[in-house]
Amino acid sequence: LMGKGSTTPFINGTFVYFGGKDNWGFNRWDAHMKEMKEIGIETLIIQYSAYNESVWCNSENEYSSSEHINVLPALLKAASSNQLSVYVGLYLNEEFWSNTTNEEILDIHAQRSINLAKEIWDQYRDYNSFKGWYICHEPAPYYYSSEENFEILKNSLVNPIADYCKSISNLPVAIAPFFNYNLSSSSVF
C-alpha cells in the first residue's frame, strides 16, 4: 500500500466485512489489526453491523430471524489495543438496490439504522476506537441524477440517520457512493 519508492502509505483505511468472521474473538482480531497497522492502516469502516437477517452485534431488532453473532465488541477492543479508528456501519438490506427512490423502503431502512445505532451506542460507546458511523447504503449516481430523487435520498435516508447518530454521539458520519468504471447498475454484479 506504499506509493512507488515511498515509505508513506497512500491508503490508510479499509472496509471490514463481518461475513465469515462469526467466530473471530479478540485474539484473531488483534492479530489481524496488527497486520493492518503494519502496512499503514489507521481507519477501519465496518461495512455493516446488520445485513439482511444477519446481525453481528447484540441487538433486540425485529427484522432478524437469525442468531446474533456478537463480534463487534471484539473488533472494537482489538482496534483500541492497536490505536485504530473504527467507523461502525449500520443496517443494509438487499431490497435497497431495487428501491433506491422508494420513500417507504428508505424510511424503513433509516429507522432500522437509527434503532441499531441506539443499541450500538448504548453498549459500545466506551471503546476509544469508536470514532464514527457509516451509512451502508451506497448511492449510485444514476439513481439520483435528478434533484427530486436526490431529495428523496437525502430526506428519507441519509439525513435522518446522520442527524440521529450525531445527536447521540457527536461523532462524524460517513457514506460512500456506489461507483464502477462503466456506470452500470449494481445488478450486474
Side-chain angles (χ1 to χ4, degrees):
L1 297 174
M2 304 293 181
K4 189 173 186 174
S6 173
T7 58
T8 304
F10 61 86
I11 295 177
N12 64 1
T14 189
F15 282 89
V16 173
Y17 172 66
F18 280 137
K21 298 173 183 72
D22 294 352
N23 63 348
W24 283 31
F26 170 78
N27 290 336
R28 182 88 185 261
W29 281 113
D30 188 56
H32 191 54
M33 306 265 172
K34 285 180 181 359
E35 291 170 345
M36 286 193 275
K37 182 118 181 167
E38 189 175 302
I39 61 169
I41 298 296
E42 298 171 355
T43 302
L44 306 174
I45 300 174
I46 297 173
Q47 189 170 5
Y48 29 70
S49 297
Y51 179 72
N52 292 334
E53 293 185 358
S54 297
V55 181
W56 291 279
C57 61
N58 187 25
S59 174
E60 298 291 326
N61 70 70
E62 75 287 352
Y63 53 83
S64 174
S65 62
S66 62
E67 180 180 335
H68 301 158
I69 309 298
N70 196 17
V71 296
L72 180 58
L75 178 142
L76 289 167
K77 182 178 177 185
S80 293
S81 294
N82 289 282
Q83 296 83 46
L84 296 174
S85 299
V86 177
Y87 282 66
V88 178
L90 296 168
Y91 171 83
L92 181 64
N93 185 296
E94 279 299 311
E95 70 187 349
F96 167 74
W97 294 109
S98 56
N99 291 282
T100 57
T101 56
N102 180 325
E103 292 175 75
E104 183 179 339
I105 296 295
L106 296 179
D107 289 342
I108 290 169
H109 281 232
Q111 193 57 56
R112 288 179 178 177
S113 289
I114 288 167
N115 294 345
L116 188 62
K118 179 183 182 343
E119 291 178 314
I120 288 171
W121 186 247
D122 287 348
Q123 296 175 66
Y124 309 118
R125 66 176 158 219
D126 292 333
Y127 288 95
N128 63 7
S129 59
F130 196 154
K131 299 296 186 187
W133 302 94
Y134 177 65
I135 298 173
C136 314
H137 303 76
E138 298 175 351
Y142 40 83
Y143 292 138
Y144 303 106
S145 57
S146 74
E147 186 67 30
E148 179 184 357
N149 286 349
F150 181 74
E151 289 296 314
I152 290 170
L153 171 73
K154 184 174 78 171
N155 295 326
S156 292
L157 184 76
V158 176
N159 284 354
I161 297 170
D163 291 347
Y164 180 78
C165 289
K166 288 179 184 179
S167 76
I168 62 170
S169 67
N170 204 30
L171 295 176
V173 179
I175 190 169
F178 174 86
F179 182 79
N180 61 24
Y181 71 94
N182 63 1
L183 297 179
S184 60
S185 77
S186 62
S187 64
V188 299
F189 293 101

